Amino acid sequence: RLYPTPFKASVSRLQQFVLCPFAHLVRYGLGPRERKVFAVEAPDIGELFHNVLLAFAGQLEKRGMSWPDLDRQTCTQLVDEVMDELVPSSGGGVFASTFRYRYLVNRLKRVSRRSVWTLTQHLTRGDFKPHGHEVSFGGGGDLPPLVVELANGQVMYLEGRIDRIDLLEESGQTYVKVMDYKSGVQPFSLSDVYHGLALQLLIYMKAVLAGTDPNQNPWKPGGAFYFRIDDPMISCDERVVEEVESRLFKEFRMKGLALKDMRVVSAMDSHIEGSSEILPLGVTKQGDFSRTSSVLSEEEFQALIEHVDALLRKIATEILAGSSRIAPVKADKMTACQYCRYREICQFDQVFPDNRYREIRHLKDEEVIQAITGAAGEVRE
């Protein structure tokens, strides 16, 4: 009765279950509602940023313009127009309710201008072209849902929304880059993907690849990244505008995973000298990827997606079996309880003998690659 069939889920829901099955039960099963407060909170700001980027892309299409053609003045003007149109109705009008929030809007405008201009610069440095914004997969979406068939005969339909999809057409192949916009710090590690703590980017990539016709030039993964929406502050002695702009640009370096193919990587950043200013990778003088580069070969990428498949089946099976134990995850210094809204409900306290964190060991990238290629799909903690 709690989870009726057909069972539909989102990425955030599955990650909530991995973090703590009990928190998942409360949020998605019991469904308590928090008292609404007429105030600006982090989700309101995040939603406004997403809407600004979507509306900005829509304005470009409407005016017959493309991202690489923009100069900074036009970019700033369009962002301000979009913000002025969206702010009055965002958050039920809360952004316009007080002088404090109106001042906040000015700062959010500055953040949006800087972020959109950086995205524009990213595209001018490569050959990937925007293919879609806010692309949804699921019932009534742009792409079909991901169908996860379980061993017991049940089925889970996975739905979601991808902030942006870029494509590269090269030598008869189509490579996909998926991007997710974040208004806060969002680290990325293969260990988190392996343990199911960060499934978002890989599921988005899987949804795009699964939505193409395998008989008509099947698309291949090119990269999956988090882009942070921000207006960073830097500390430096230089007063030269070019130097400051260069330092600020590097602050927007994306987190995520790229295909271990120099042609594809160069199509995302054609200006790589040493460490890329855009991507989480570097290139040696010999033309190889540096040791700290976040890259996978096509075979390793596919193995990681297959491992995520196995995780999805495991998580869905446990949810539908009624698992609801109080078992918050602890990974390094992060715990599932840090920002949990339901601590007063579960009363988790390590003073009690049966209240213990479910500790997850951080794996090195080499360990993850060895695990997924040696036994792809096997889930280990």
Side-chain angles (χ1 to χ4, degrees), residues 257-287:
L257 197 58
L259 183 67
K260 195 175 184 179
D261 185 319
M262 198 61 70
R263 295 173 302 120
V264 175
V265 166
S266 296
M268 287 186 269
D269 183 4
S270 59
H271 293 52
I272 299 178
E273 293 182 3
S275 295
S276 170
E277 296 179 333
I278 296 176
L279 307 170
L281 53 85
V283 178
T284 65
K285 293 180 179 179
Q286 291 72 35

Side-chain angles (χ1 to χ4, degrees), residues 320-350:
L320 294 175
S323 177
S324 58
R325 63 196 185 285
I326 300 174
V329 155
K330 182 177 183 180
D332 292 332
K333 296 180 181 179
M334 184 280 294
T335 71
C337 300
Q338 279 177 302
Y339 304 106
C340 182
R341 296 176 292 176
Y342 310 120
R343 293 200 66 173
E344 280 69 28
I345 298 176
C346 76
Q347 297 290 312
F348 178 83
D349 192 332
Q350 293 192 85

Side-chain angles (χ1 to χ4, degrees), residues 189-239:
S189 77
L190 283 180
S191 180
D192 287 346
V193 176
Y194 184 81
H195 291 302
L197 300 174
L199 297 171
Q200 195 171 35
L201 293 180
L202 271 296
I203 288 177
Y204 288 173
M205 178 63 73
K206 178 175 171 59
V208 176
L209 299 180
T212 62
D213 186 348
N215 299 316
Q216 299 290 327
N217 182 25
W219 294 358
K220 296 184 177 183
F225 306 101
Y226 294 121
F227 176 84
R228 186 182 178 189
I229 303 170
D230 196 9
D231 184 29
M233 304 292 288
I234 60 170
S235 299
C236 62
D237 297 328
E238 299 88 348
R239 292 294 182 265

Side-chain angles (χ1 to χ4, degrees), residues 54-70:
L54 176 62
F56 181 88
Q59 283 295 322
L60 289 185
E61 185 176 348
K62 182 179 178 180
R63 301 182 187 200
M65 304 169 69
S66 62
W67 291 73
D69 298 333
L70 291 173

Side-chain angles (χ1 to χ4, degrees), residues 27-311:
R27 179 175 177 181
Y28 295 99
L30 305 180
R33 289 176 294 178
E34 292 182 283
R35 182 172 63 90
K36 293 294 290 182
V37 178
F38 193 66
V40 173
E41 298 181 349
D44 301 312
I45 294 175
E47 183 180 2
L48 177 60
F49 282 144
H50 278 77
N51 291 338
V52 166
L53 288 166
L54 176 62
F56 181 88
Q59 283 295 322
L60 289 185
E61 185 176 348
K62 182 179 178 180
R63 301 182 187 200
M65 304 169 69
S66 62
W67 291 73
D69 298 333
L70 291 173
D71 57 48
R72 190 157 193 172
Q73 182 178 355
T74 304
C75 187
T76 297
Q77 180 182 340
L78 277 177
V79 169
D80 286 353
E81 289 178 8
V82 167
M83 284 284 287
D84 290 340
E85 184 177 340
L86 290 176
V87 162
S89 59
S90 296
V94 67
F95 286 98
S97 63
T98 67
F99 286 108
R100 178 183 171 219
Y101 288 151
R102 290 173 202 164
Y103 177 81
L104 173 63
V105 167
N106 289 329
R107 181 177 180 276
L108 298 183
K109 271 189 179 181
R110 190 175 71 241
V111 172
S112 298
R113 291 175 196 141
R114 170 69 64 178
S115 298
V116 172
W117 177 239
T118 302
L119 287 169
T120 303
Q121 291 177 292
H122 282 192
L123 286 169
T124 60
R125 290 176 61 158
D127 298 318
F128 273 81
K129 305 298 181 186
H131 174 72
H133 299 267
E134 299 288 325
V135 178
S136 58
F137 57 97
D142 306 288
L143 297 171
L146 284 177
V147 181
V148 181
E149 298 181 357
L150 311 183
N152 59 10
Q154 292 179 296
V155 176
M156 175 179 70
Y157 295 93
L158 196 55
E159 303 178 331
R161 186 179 63 182
I162 306 166
D163 288 336
R164 200 175 93 196
I165 300 172
D166 294 348
L167 297 181
L168 170 70
E169 302 279 353
E170 182 175 280
S171 304
Q173 296 288 344
T174 302
Y175 293 93
V176 178
K177 178 175 72 173
V178 297
M179 292 178 60
D180 188 66
Y181 301 138
K182 295 294 183 186
S183 54
V185 177
Q186 182 65 50
F188 178 88
S189 77
L190 283 180
S191 180
D192 287 346
V193 176
Y194 184 81
H195 291 302
L197 300 174
L199 297 171
Q200 195 171 35
L201 293 180
L202 271 296
I203 288 177
Y204 288 173
M205 178 63 73
K206 178 175 171 59
V208 176
L209 299 180
T212 62
D213 186 348
N215 299 316
Q216 299 290 327
N217 182 25
W219 294 358
K220 296 184 177 183
F225 306 101
Y226 294 121
F227 176 84
R228 186 182 178 189
I229 303 170
D230 196 9
D231 184 29
M233 304 292 288
I234 60 170
S235 299
C236 62
D237 297 328
E238 299 88 348
R239 292 294 182 265
V240 181
V241 173
E242 291 79 7
E243 176 65 23
V244 174
E245 285 294 321
S246 176
R247 293 277 298 276
L248 284 169
F249 185 73
K250 293 176 184 177
E251 290 293 316
F252 284 93
R253 191 184 193 204
M254 296 188 292
K255 309 291 185 184
L257 197 58
L259 183 67
K260 195 175 184 179
D261 185 319
M262 198 61 70
R263 295 173 302 120
V264 175
V265 166
S266 296
M268 287 186 269
D269 183 4
S270 59
H271 293 52
I272 299 178
E273 293 182 3
S275 295
S276 170
E277 296 179 333
I278 296 176
L279 307 170
L281 53 85
V283 178
T284 65
K285 293 180 179 179
Q286 291 72 35
D288 300 319
F289 288 103
S290 62
R291 186 177 57 84
T292 57
S293 295
S294 184
V295 292
L296 290 181
S297 68
E298 188 175 331
E299 293 74 19
E300 291 166 346
F301 230 121
Q302 185 57 43
L304 187 60
I305 291 175
E306 290 176 7
H307 175 74
V308 169
D309 278 345
L311 281 172

